[in-house]
Amino acid sequence: MKSKFLKFSFALLVTYMVSGCNDDFLERYPLDQITNETFWNTENDLAVYNNSLYNLIRDDIDVPILMGHHDGFASHYASIWFQDEFTDNMAPRHPRHTRFQQVRAGKHNVASGDQWFGYDGWNFVRAINVGLANYDRANIPQAAKDKYIAEARLMRGWFYGEKVSKFGDVPYVERELNIDSEELFAARTPRAEAMKKVLEDLNFASTKLPNDWGDGNAPGRLNRWAALLVKARICLFEGTFNKYHNTGEWKMWLEEAAKASKELIETGPYRLYNTGDPNNDYNAYHRVLDLTGNPEVIAWRKYKIGVFTNHVQSYFPYAGGATKSMVEDYLATDGLPITLSPLYKGDEKLEDVFANRDPRLRQTVLHPADTEKYRYDREDGRSYPRLEGMPGGGVKSTTGYHIIKHYNADDLIGKAYNTAESPAIILRFAEALLIYAEAKAELGTITQNDLDISINKLRDRVAMPHMILGEIPVDPRYAKDGISPLIAEIRRERRVEMFMEGLRYQDILRWKQGKKLEDKDYGIRWSAANKARFSPTTMQTSIDPESGKEYIDVYKGTDWANPVFDESKHYLWPIPLNTIAQNPAIKQNPGWE
């Protein structure tokens, strides 16, 4: 009830602020109602209004920036954990996740209306612009006003940065509109012009937001450090997208990404979570219910029974499992790719896949011997993994690689529908380290010290060998990517560290590596040992043309069996038909006409 009341109250507040009171003949305003003319007076008024923006931002479907887990039934897809299903990291087959499978396979079409995480959420921009038109009316010091102006501008810059990453040109609006506003009938703002405005918002936010709101991050409001990380993320996207797609200025964007991430690294209060336990530290804090005080987590969403909850742990099996491609990207413990390391034991036996590998693999994918450790699944006493179609109960995987990075049995056992409290990590310090290394490498200015304060900090946490300039291995798996071995290794580190945290799809787009999505999604090796152990299954198999060996072929026999990626159109999503019908000045993205 409390959650519903808060949602109603915030919505009511926004409605009043947006609509205001336009009766010119009425000079006296009602004393028992909130009106635009009487509201904007104190710092608390500004804080309350921005609280309504945080409420709107909980819409993970239309405003997918501060993405956590949606509540109720929608948490079966609207979660940061599921975003990697658009990519080669995870392999869903559940019919409720058809949208992920369509995009992953290049079989999506022009939508007539709303789409998941798509061309929606413009009411959020309107609410922000209403606030920005009124904050200065408060009778408080300018520095106090600037905190809330910066908070709103961070949200607006982040929102538009995300929309640009999917649609290119966007309808950029920075004032409150009415039904006669010419912007309603205008063409989209060109990408470069819109991103200039985005950078202005992010620069303001990263200088005017307070370092600490005094809320203990339990969780709290977005602070200046969060703004720096968001700025670094968006600038990295735009810089690398422009560089690899040859679409405009890229050095400035990468310099801004490096500058923002380094400021966070060198002067911010955050650090990697590290207790000195390389076999558990990577996933330990991803599996707890309360992240208050965690030194690595910059922004997160909290769930609490009676206030706001989710059902995402129970729905997570829809994700299918980690792919062979993902599992093979983890290095061996000598710091070499499995294609080069003498320590790699192969994949004939499932347990061998985990032997002598980066500890993050075993903290991401379930090792059969860890079933009891993680109390998987719901401590049901079965042996795992279990493939789709195997007789008996238990959670089934499409690949044989069950994901346990986030798994929390306590948030499943005995929990009724929509009473789960698994939090969502939205921004964490590790990403700043990865952004800094990548930006410096793309600029061609990276040094060993740069690696030591970034990538090698991540490797220290899991006791992996350092990345050393001049000793970068050349992995044949990356030979066709057209990049240096150094950049390939930095990208690998990012994929491994940030798995299941909502970044892989945008990474593939900005690197112009869409052809990776034409590779089939395979699961475990279908060796004689594994056939005896995991049969019968409804999953089909195929021969991997690169190795000549047989593997689970996740999408064989389905509509997604032969994925395509059309370089002429798939780097952008299509504009919905109803948007174009309402405003013909908005033209369709190339290739989707």
Side-chain angles (χ1 to χ4, degrees), residues 285-362:
Y285 65 98
H286 288 275
R287 300 186 299 105
V288 299
L289 298 186
D290 191 348
L291 291 159
T292 304
N294 185 287
E296 184 170 347
V297 178
I298 298 173
W300 62 290
R301 187 182 294 176
K302 185 175 183 176
Y303 296 82
K304 186 176 178 61
I305 292 176
V307 181
F308 193 49
T309 50
N310 62 62
H311 201 61
V312 69
Q313 289 275 3
S314 294
Y315 284 132
F316 194 75
Y318 292 0
T323 62
K324 170 180 176 286
S325 167
M326 181 69 225
V327 169
E328 289 184 341
D329 244 0
Y330 291 82
L331 299 173
T333 51
D334 56 7
L336 294 175
I338 62 172
T339 52
L340 304 175
S341 174
L343 298 181
Y344 180 55
K345 299 181 68 174
D347 57 9
E348 293 291 309
K349 182 182 177 184
L350 185 58
E351 283 79 359
D352 288 346
V353 172
F354 297 87
N356 305 323
R357 301 290 294 279
D358 183 330
R360 285 173 290 192
L361 173 57
R362 193 162 173 171

Coordinates of all heavy atoms in Angstrom, one line a residue, residues 285-362:
Y285 N 29.2 -9.6 -3.4 CA 28.3 -8.4 -3.2 C 27.2 -8.3 -4.2 O 26.2 -7.6 -4.0 CB 29.1 -7.1 -3.1 CG 29.8 -6.7 -4.4 CD1 29.2 -5.8 -5.2 CD2 31.0 -7.3 -4.7 CE1 29.8 -5.4 -6.4 CE2 31.7 -6.9 -5.9 CZ 31.1 -6.0 -6.7 OH 31.7 -5.6 -7.9
H286 N 27.3 -9.1 -5.3 CA 26.2 -9.2 -6.2 C 25.0 -10.1 -5.7 O 24.0 -10.1 -6.3 CB 26.7 -9.8 -7.6 CG 27.5 -8.8 -8.4 ND1 27.0 -7.8 -9.2 CD2 28.9 -8.7 -8.4 CE1 28.0 -7.2 -9.7 NE2 29.1 -7.6 -9.3
R287 N 25.3 -10.8 -4.6 CA 24.3 -11.8 -4.2 C 23.7 -11.5 -2.8 O 23.0 -12.3 -2.2 CB 25.0 -13.2 -4.1 CG 25.5 -13.7 -5.5 CD 26.0 -15.1 -5.5 NE 27.1 -15.3 -4.5 CZ 27.0 -15.9 -3.4 NH1 25.9 -16.3 -2.9 NH2 28.1 -16.0 -2.6
V288 N 23.9 -10.2 -2.4 CA 23.3 -9.8 -1.1 C 22.1 -9.0 -1.3 O 21.9 -8.5 -2.4 CB 24.4 -9.0 -0.2 CG1 25.6 -9.9 0.1 CG2 24.8 -7.8 -0.9
L289 N 21.3 -8.8 -0.3 CA 20.1 -8.0 -0.4 C 20.3 -6.6 0.0 O 19.4 -5.7 -0.4 CB 19.0 -8.6 0.5 CG 18.6 -10.1 0.2 CD1 17.4 -10.5 1.0 CD2 18.2 -10.2 -1.3
D290 N 21.3 -6.2 0.7 CA 21.5 -4.8 1.1 C 22.9 -4.4 0.8 O 23.9 -5.0 1.3 CB 21.3 -4.7 2.6 CG 21.2 -3.3 3.1 OD1 21.5 -2.4 2.3 OD2 20.8 -3.0 4.2
L291 N 23.1 -3.4 -0.1 CA 24.4 -2.9 -0.5 C 24.8 -1.6 0.2 O 25.8 -1.0 -0.2 CB 24.3 -2.7 -2.0 CG 24.2 -4.0 -2.8 CD1 23.7 -3.7 -4.2 CD2 25.6 -4.6 -2.9
T292 N 24.1 -1.2 1.2 CA 24.4 0.0 2.0 C 25.9 -0.1 2.4 O 26.3 -1.1 3.0 CB 23.5 0.1 3.2 OG1 22.1 0.1 2.8 CG2 23.8 1.4 3.9
G293 N 26.6 1.0 2.1 CA 28.0 1.1 2.6 C 29.0 0.3 1.8 O 30.2 0.4 2.1
N294 N 28.5 -0.4 0.7 CA 29.5 -1.1 -0.1 C 30.4 -0.1 -0.8 O 29.9 0.9 -1.4 CB 28.8 -1.9 -1.2 CG 29.7 -2.8 -2.0 OD1 30.5 -2.3 -2.8 ND2 29.7 -4.1 -1.8
P295 N 31.7 -0.3 -0.7 CA 32.7 0.8 -1.2 C 32.7 0.9 -2.7 O 33.3 1.9 -3.3 CB 34.0 0.3 -0.7 CG 33.9 -1.2 -0.6 CD 32.5 -1.4 -0.1
E296 N 32.2 -0.1 -3.5 CA 32.3 -0.1 -4.9 C 31.0 0.4 -5.6 O 31.1 0.9 -6.7 CB 32.6 -1.5 -5.4 CG 32.8 -1.6 -6.9 CD 33.3 -3.0 -7.4 OE1 33.8 -3.8 -6.5 OE2 33.3 -3.3 -8.6
V297 N 29.9 0.3 -4.9 CA 28.6 0.6 -5.5 C 28.3 2.0 -5.4 O 28.2 2.6 -4.3 CB 27.5 -0.3 -4.9 CG1 26.2 0.1 -5.5 CG2 27.8 -1.8 -5.1
I298 N 28.1 2.7 -6.6 CA 27.9 4.1 -6.6 C 26.4 4.4 -6.7 O 25.9 5.4 -6.1 CB 28.6 4.7 -7.9 CG1 30.1 4.5 -7.7 CG2 28.3 6.2 -8.0 CD1 30.9 4.9 -9.0
A299 N 25.6 3.6 -7.4 CA 24.2 3.7 -7.5 C 23.6 2.4 -7.6 O 24.0 1.5 -8.3 CB 23.8 4.6 -8.7
W300 N 22.5 2.2 -6.8 CA 21.8 0.9 -6.8 C 20.3 1.1 -6.4 O 20.0 2.2 -6.0 CB 22.4 -0.1 -5.8 CG 22.5 0.3 -4.4 CD1 23.2 1.3 -3.8 CD2 21.7 -0.3 -3.3 NE1 23.0 1.4 -2.4 CE2 22.1 0.4 -2.1 CE3 20.8 -1.4 -3.2 CZ2 21.5 0.0 -0.9 CZ3 20.3 -1.7 -2.0 CH2 20.7 -1.0 -0.8
R301 N 19.5 0.1 -6.7 CA 18.1 0.2 -6.4 C 17.8 -0.8 -5.3 O 18.1 -2.0 -5.4 CB 17.2 0.0 -7.6 CG 15.7 0.2 -7.3 CD 14.9 -0.1 -8.5 NE 15.1 0.8 -9.6 CZ 14.5 0.7 -10.8 NH1 13.7 -0.2 -11.0 NH2 14.8 1.6 -11.8
K302 N 17.2 -0.4 -4.3 CA 16.8 -1.2 -3.1 C 15.4 -1.7 -3.2 O 14.5 -0.9 -3.7 CB 17.0 -0.4 -1.8 CG 16.8 -1.2 -0.5 CD 17.2 -0.4 0.7 CE 17.0 -1.2 2.0 NZ 17.5 -0.4 3.2
Y303 N 15.1 -2.9 -2.8 CA 13.8 -3.4 -2.7 C 13.5 -3.9 -1.3 O 14.3 -4.4 -0.6 CB 13.6 -4.6 -3.7 CG 13.8 -4.2 -5.1 CD1 15.1 -4.0 -5.7 CD2 12.7 -3.9 -5.9 CE1 15.3 -3.6 -7.0 CE2 12.9 -3.4 -7.2 CZ 14.2 -3.3 -7.8 OH 14.3 -2.9 -9.1
K304 N 12.3 -3.6 -0.9 CA 11.9 -4.0 0.5 C 10.4 -4.3 0.5 O 9.6 -3.7 -0.1 CB 12.1 -2.8 1.4 CG 11.9 -3.1 2.9 CD 12.3 -1.9 3.8 CE 12.1 -2.2 5.2 NZ 12.8 -3.3 5.7
I305 N 10.1 -5.5 1.2 CA 8.7 -5.9 1.3 C 7.9 -4.8 2.0 O 8.3 -4.2 3.0 CB 8.7 -7.2 2.2 CG1 9.3 -8.4 1.4 CG2 7.2 -7.6 2.5 CD1 9.4 -9.7 2.2
G306 N 6.7 -4.6 1.3 CA 5.8 -3.5 1.8 C 6.1 -2.2 1.2 O 5.3 -1.2 1.3
V307 N 7.2 -2.0 0.5 CA 7.5 -0.8 -0.2 C 7.6 -1.0 -1.7 O 6.8 -0.4 -2.5 CB 8.8 -0.1 0.4 CG1 9.1 1.2 -0.3 CG2 8.7 0.1 1.9
F308 N 8.6 -1.8 -2.1 CA 8.8 -2.0 -3.5 C 9.6 -3.3 -3.7 O 10.6 -3.5 -3.0 CB 9.6 -0.8 -4.2 CG 9.6 -0.8 -5.7 CD1 8.4 -1.0 -6.4 CD2 10.8 -0.7 -6.4 CE1 8.4 -1.0 -7.8 CE2 10.8 -0.7 -7.8 CZ 9.6 -0.8 -8.5
T309 N 9.0 -4.2 -4.5 CA 9.6 -5.6 -4.6 C 9.7 -6.0 -6.0 O 9.3 -5.3 -6.9 CB 8.8 -6.6 -3.8 OG1 7.4 -6.4 -4.2 CG2 8.9 -6.4 -2.3
N310 N 10.3 -7.2 -6.2 CA 10.4 -7.8 -7.6 C 10.2 -9.3 -7.5 O 10.0 -9.9 -6.5 CB 11.7 -7.4 -8.2 CG 12.9 -7.9 -7.5 OD1 13.1 -9.1 -7.3 ND2 13.7 -7.0 -6.9
H311 N 10.3 -9.9 -8.7 CA 10.2 -11.3 -8.8 C 11.3 -11.9 -9.7 O 11.2 -12.9 -10.3 CB 8.8 -11.7 -9.3 CG 8.4 -13.1 -9.0 ND1 8.2 -13.6 -7.7 CD2 8.1 -14.2 -9.8 CE1 7.8 -14.9 -7.8 NE2 7.7 -15.2 -9.0
V312 N 12.4 -11.1 -9.8 CA 13.4 -11.4 -10.9 C 14.1 -12.6 -10.7 O 14.5 -13.3 -11.6 CB 14.3 -10.1 -11.0 CG1 15.2 -10.0 -9.8 CG2 15.1 -10.2 -12.3
Q313 N 14.4 -13.0 -9.4 CA 15.2 -14.3 -9.2 C 14.4 -15.5 -9.7 O 14.9 -16.4 -10.4 CB 15.5 -14.5 -7.7 CG 16.5 -13.5 -7.1 CD 17.9 -14.0 -7.3 OE1 18.2 -15.0 -7.9 NE2 18.9 -13.2 -6.8
S314 N 13.1 -15.5 -9.5 CA 12.3 -16.6 -9.9 C 12.1 -16.6 -11.5 O 12.0 -17.7 -12.1 CB 10.9 -16.5 -9.3 OG 10.9 -16.7 -7.9
Y315 N 12.2 -15.4 -12.1 CA 12.0 -15.4 -13.6 C 13.4 -15.6 -14.3 O 13.4 -15.8 -15.5 CB 11.5 -14.0 -14.0 CG 10.0 -13.9 -13.8 CD1 9.5 -12.7 -13.2 CD2 9.1 -14.8 -14.2 CE1 8.1 -12.5 -13.0 CE2 7.7 -14.7 -14.0 CZ 7.2 -13.5 -13.4 OH 5.9 -13.4 -13.3
F316 N 14.5 -15.6 -13.5 CA 15.8 -15.5 -14.2 C 16.1 -16.8 -15.1 O 16.8 -16.6 -16.1 CB 16.9 -15.4 -13.2 CG 18.2 -15.0 -13.9 CD1 18.4 -13.7 -14.4 CD2 19.2 -16.0 -14.1 CE1 19.6 -13.4 -15.1 CE2 20.4 -15.7 -14.8 CZ 20.6 -14.4 -15.3
P317 N 15.5 -17.9 -14.8 CA 15.7 -19.1 -15.7 C 15.3 -18.8 -17.2 O 15.8 -19.5 -18.1 CB 14.9 -20.2 -15.1 CG 15.0 -19.9 -13.6 CD 14.9 -18.4 -13.5
Y318 N 14.5 -17.8 -17.4 CA 14.1 -17.4 -18.7 C 15.4 -17.0 -19.6 O 15.3 -17.1 -20.8 CB 13.1 -16.2 -18.8 CG 11.7 -16.5 -18.2 CD1 11.4 -17.7 -17.8 CD2 10.8 -15.5 -18.2 CE1 10.1 -17.9 -17.3 CE2 9.5 -15.7 -17.7 CZ 9.2 -16.9 -17.3 OH 7.9 -17.1 -16.8
A319 N 16.4 -16.6 -18.9 CA 17.6 -16.2 -19.5 C 18.4 -17.3 -20.3 O 19.2 -17.0 -21.1 CB 18.6 -15.5 -18.5
G320 N 18.1 -18.5 -20.0 CA 18.6 -19.6 -20.7 C 20.0 -20.1 -20.1 O 20.1 -21.3 -19.7
G321 N 21.0 -19.3 -20.2 CA 22.3 -19.6 -19.7 C 23.4 -18.8 -20.4 O 23.1 -18.2 -21.4
A322 N 24.6 -18.9 -19.9 CA 25.7 -18.3 -20.5 C 26.1 -19.1 -21.8 O 25.9 -20.3 -21.9 CB 26.9 -18.2 -19.6
T323 N 26.6 -18.4 -22.8 CA 27.0 -19.0 -24.0 C 28.4 -19.6 -24.0 O 29.3 -19.2 -23.2 CB 26.9 -18.1 -25.2 OG1 27.8 -17.0 -25.0 CG2 25.5 -17.5 -25.3
K324 N 28.7 -20.5 -24.9 CA 30.1 -21.0 -25.1 C 31.0 -19.8 -25.4 O 32.1 -19.8 -24.9 CB 30.1 -22.0 -26.3 CG 31.5 -22.4 -26.8 CD 31.3 -23.4 -27.9 CE 32.6 -23.8 -28.5 NZ 33.2 -22.8 -29.4
S325 N 30.6 -18.9 -26.2 CA 31.4 -17.7 -26.6 C 31.8 -16.9 -25.3 O 33.0 -16.5 -25.1 CB 30.7 -16.8 -27.5 OG 31.3 -15.5 -27.6
M326 N 30.8 -16.7 -24.4 CA 31.1 -16.0 -23.2 C 32.1 -16.8 -22.3 O 33.1 -16.3 -21.8 CB 29.8 -15.8 -22.4 CG 29.9 -15.0 -21.1 SD 30.4 -13.3 -21.3 CE 31.7 -13.1 -20.1
V327 N 31.8 -18.1 -22.1 CA 32.7 -18.9 -21.3 C 34.1 -19.0 -21.8 O 35.1 -19.0 -21.0 CB 32.1 -20.3 -21.1 CG1 33.0 -21.3 -20.4 CG2 30.7 -20.2 -20.3
E328 N 34.3 -19.0 -23.1 CA 35.6 -19.1 -23.7 C 36.4 -17.9 -23.6 O 37.6 -17.9 -23.8 CB 35.5 -19.6 -25.1 CG 35.1 -21.0 -25.2 CD 35.1 -21.6 -26.7 OE1 35.0 -20.7 -27.6 OE2 35.0 -22.8 -26.8
D329 N 35.8 -16.7 -23.2 CA 36.5 -15.5 -23.1 C 37.3 -15.3 -21.8 O 38.1 -14.5 -21.7 CB 35.6 -14.3 -23.3 CG 35.9 -13.5 -24.6 OD1 36.9 -13.9 -25.3 OD2 35.3 -12.5 -24.9
Y330 N 37.0 -16.2 -20.8 CA 37.8 -16.1 -19.6 C 39.2 -16.6 -19.8 O 39.3 -17.7 -20.3 CB 37.0 -16.9 -18.5 CG 35.7 -16.2 -18.0 CD1 34.6 -16.4 -18.8 CD2 35.7 -15.4 -16.9 CE1 33.4 -15.8 -18.4 CE2 34.5 -14.9 -16.5 CZ 33.3 -15.1 -17.2 OH 32.1 -14.5 -16.8
L331 N 40.2 -15.9 -19.3 CA 41.5 -16.3 -19.5 C 41.9 -17.5 -18.6 O 41.2 -17.8 -17.7 CB 42.5 -15.2 -19.1 CG 42.4 -13.9 -20.0 CD1 43.2 -12.8 -19.3 CD2 42.7 -14.1 -21.4
A332 N 43.0 -18.2 -18.9 CA 43.6 -19.2 -18.0 C 44.3 -18.4 -16.9 O 44.6 -17.2 -17.0 CB 44.5 -20.1 -18.8
T333 N 44.7 -19.1 -15.9 CA 45.3 -18.5 -14.7 C 46.7 -18.0 -15.0 O 47.3 -17.3 -14.2 CB 45.3 -19.5 -13.5 OG1 45.9 -20.7 -13.9 CG2 43.9 -19.7 -13.0
D334 N 47.3 -18.4 -16.2 CA 48.6 -17.8 -16.5 C 48.4 -16.5 -17.3 O 49.4 -15.9 -17.7 CB 49.4 -18.8 -17.4 CG 48.7 -19.2 -18.6 OD1 47.6 -18.7 -18.9 OD2 49.2 -20.2 -19.3
G335 N 47.2 -16.0 -17.4 CA 46.9 -14.7 -18.1 C 46.8 -14.8 -19.6 O 46.7 -13.8 -20.3
L336 N 46.8 -16.1 -20.1 CA 46.7 -16.3 -21.6 C 45.3 -16.7 -21.9 O 44.6 -17.4 -21.2 CB 47.7 -17.3 -22.0 CG 49.2 -17.0 -21.9 CD1 50.1 -18.2 -22.3 CD2 49.6 -15.8 -22.7
P337 N 44.9 -16.4 -23.2 CA 43.6 -16.9 -23.7 C 43.7 -18.4 -23.7 O 44.8 -19.0 -23.9 CB 43.5 -16.3 -25.1 CG 44.5 -15.2 -25.1 CD 45.6 -15.5 -24.2
I338 N 42.5 -19.1 -23.7 CA 42.5 -20.6 -23.7 C 43.1 -21.1 -25.0 O 43.5 -22.3 -25.1 CB 41.1 -21.1 -23.4 CG1 40.1 -20.7 -24.5 CG2 40.7 -20.7 -22.0 CD1 38.8 -21.4 -24.4
T339 N 43.1 -20.3 -26.1 CA 43.6 -20.7 -27.4 C 45.1 -20.8 -27.3 O 45.7 -21.5 -28.2 CB 43.2 -19.7 -28.5 OG1 43.6 -18.4 -28.0 CG2 41.7 -19.8 -28.8
L340 N 45.8 -20.2 -26.3 CA 47.2 -20.2 -26.3 C 47.8 -20.8 -25.0 O 49.0 -21.2 -25.0 CB 47.7 -18.7 -26.3 CG 47.2 -17.9 -27.5 CD1 47.7 -16.4 -27.4 CD2 47.8 -18.5 -28.8
S341 N 47.0 -21.0 -24.0 CA 47.5 -21.4 -22.7 C 47.7 -22.9 -22.6 O 46.7 -23.7 -22.9 CB 46.6 -21.0 -21.6 OG 47.0 -21.5 -20.3
P342 N 48.8 -23.4 -22.2 CA 49.0 -24.9 -21.9 C 48.2 -25.4 -20.7 O 48.1 -26.6 -20.5 CB 50.5 -25.0 -21.7 CG 50.9 -23.7 -21.2 CD 50.1 -22.7 -21.9
L343 N 47.7 -24.4 -19.9 CA 46.9 -24.8 -18.7 C 45.5 -25.2 -19.0 O 44.8 -25.8 -18.1 CB 47.0 -23.6 -17.7 CG 48.3 -23.2 -17.2 CD1 48.2 -22.1 -16.2 CD2 49.1 -24.4 -16.5
Y344 N 45.0 -24.8 -20.1 CA 43.6 -25.1 -20.5 C 43.4 -26.6 -20.7 O 44.1 -27.2 -21.5 CB 43.2 -24.3 -21.7 CG 41.7 -24.5 -22.1 CD1 40.7 -24.3 -21.2 CD2 41.4 -24.9 -23.4 CE1 39.4 -24.5 -21.5 CE2 40.1 -25.1 -23.8 CZ 39.1 -24.9 -22.8 OH 37.7 -25.1 -23.2
K345 N 42.4 -27.1 -20.0 CA 42.2 -28.6 -20.0 C 41.1 -29.0 -21.0 O 40.8 -30.2 -21.1 CB 41.9 -29.1 -18.6 CG 43.0 -28.8 -17.6 CD 42.6 -29.4 -16.2 CE 42.5 -30.9 -16.2 NZ 42.3 -31.4 -14.9
G346 N 40.6 -28.0 -21.8 CA 39.6 -28.4 -22.7 C 38.2 -28.4 -22.2 O 37.9 -28.1 -21.0
D347 N 37.2 -28.9 -23.0 CA 35.8 -28.9 -22.6 C 35.1 -30.3 -22.7 O 33.9 -30.4 -22.8 CB 35.0 -27.8 -23.3 CG 35.1 -27.9 -24.8 OD1 35.6 -29.0 -25.3 OD2 34.6 -27.0 -25.5
E348 N 35.9 -31.4 -22.9 CA 35.3 -32.7 -23.0 C 34.5 -33.0 -21.8 O 33.4 -33.7 -21.9 CB 36.4 -33.7 -23.2 CG 37.2 -33.6 -24.6 CD 36.3 -33.9 -25.7 OE1 35.7 -35.0 -25.7 OE2 36.2 -33.1 -26.7
K349 N 35.0 -32.7 -20.6 CA 34.3 -32.9 -19.4 C 34.0 -31.5 -18.8 O 34.8 -30.6 -18.8 CB 35.2 -33.6 -18.4 CG 34.6 -33.9 -17.1 CD 35.6 -34.7 -16.1 CE 35.0 -34.9 -14.8 NZ 36.0 -35.5 -13.8
L350 N 32.8 -31.3 -18.3 CA 32.3 -30.0 -17.9 C 33.2 -29.4 -16.8 O 33.6 -28.2 -16.9 CB 30.9 -30.1 -17.4 CG 30.2 -28.8 -17.0 CD1 30.2 -27.8 -18.2 CD2 28.8 -29.0 -16.5
E351 N 33.7 -30.2 -15.9 CA 34.5 -29.6 -14.8 C 35.8 -29.1 -15.3 O 36.4 -28.2 -14.7 CB 34.8 -30.7 -13.7 CG 33.6 -31.0 -12.8 CD 32.5 -31.9 -13.4 OE1 32.7 -32.3 -14.5 OE2 31.6 -32.2 -12.6
D352 N 36.3 -29.7 -16.4 CA 37.6 -29.2 -17.0 C 37.5 -27.8 -17.5 O 38.5 -27.1 -17.5 CB 38.0 -30.1 -18.1 CG 38.5 -31.5 -17.6 OD1 38.7 -31.6 -16.4 OD2 38.6 -32.4 -18.5
V353 N 36.3 -27.4 -17.9 CA 36.1 -26.0 -18.4 C 36.6 -25.0 -17.4 O 37.1 -23.9 -17.7 CB 34.7 -25.8 -18.8 CG1 34.4 -24.3 -19.2 CG2 34.3 -26.7 -20.0
F354 N 36.3 -25.3 -16.1 CA 36.6 -24.3 -15.0 C 38.1 -24.4 -14.5 O 38.5 -23.5 -13.7 CB 35.7 -24.6 -13.8 CG 34.2 -24.4 -14.2 CD1 33.4 -25.4 -14.7 CD2 33.6 -23.2 -13.9 CE1 32.1 -25.2 -15.0 CE2 32.3 -23.0 -14.2 CZ 31.5 -24.0 -14.8
A355 N 38.8 -25.5 -14.8 CA 40.1 -25.7 -14.3 C 41.1 -24.7 -14.8 O 41.1 -24.4 -16.0 CB 40.6 -27.1 -14.6
N356 N 41.9 -24.2 -13.9 CA 43.0 -23.2 -14.2 C 42.4 -22.0 -15.0 O 43.1 -21.5 -15.9 CB 44.0 -23.9 -15.1 CG 44.6 -25.2 -14.4 OD1 44.8 -25.2 -13.2 ND2 44.8 -26.2 -15.2
R357 N 41.3 -21.5 -14.6 CA 40.7 -20.3 -15.3 C 40.5 -19.2 -14.3 O 40.6 -19.3 -13.1 CB 39.3 -20.7 -15.8 CG 39.3 -21.9 -16.8 CD 39.9 -21.6 -18.1 NE 39.2 -20.6 -18.9 CZ 38.1 -20.8 -19.6 NH1 37.6 -22.1 -19.7 NH2 37.5 -19.9 -20.3
D358 N 40.4 -18.0 -14.9 CA 40.1 -16.8 -14.1 C 39.0 -17.1 -13.1 O 37.9 -17.6 -13.5 CB 39.6 -15.7 -15.2 CG 39.3 -14.4 -14.5 OD1 38.9 -14.3 -13.4 OD2 39.4 -13.4 -15.3
P359 N 39.2 -16.8 -11.8 CA 38.2 -17.1 -10.8 C 36.8 -16.5 -11.1 O 35.8 -17.0 -10.5 CB 38.8 -16.6 -9.5 CG 40.3 -16.6 -9.8 CD 40.4 -16.3 -11.2
R360 N 36.8 -15.5 -11.9 CA 35.4 -14.9 -12.2 C 34.5 -15.9 -12.9 O 33.3 -15.7 -12.9 CB 35.6 -13.6 -13.0 CG 36.1 -12.4 -12.1 CD 36.4 -11.2 -12.9 NE 37.6 -11.4 -13.7 CZ 38.3 -10.4 -14.3 NH1 37.8 -9.1 -14.2 NH2 39.3 -10.6 -15.0
L361 N 35.1 -16.8 -13.7 CA 34.3 -17.8 -14.4 C 33.5 -18.6 -13.4 O 32.2 -18.7 -13.6 CB 35.1 -18.7 -15.3 CG 34.4 -19.9 -15.9 CD1 33.3 -19.3 -16.8 CD2 35.4 -20.7 -16.8
R362 N 34.1 -19.1 -12.4 CA 33.4 -20.0 -11.4 C 32.5 -19.2 -10.5 O 31.6 -19.7 -9.9 CB 34.4 -20.8 -10.6 CG 33.8 -21.9 -9.8 CD 34.8 -22.9 -9.4 NE 34.2 -23.9 -8.5 CZ 34.9 -25.0 -8.1 NH1 36.1 -25.3 -8.6 NH2 34.3 -25.9 -7.3

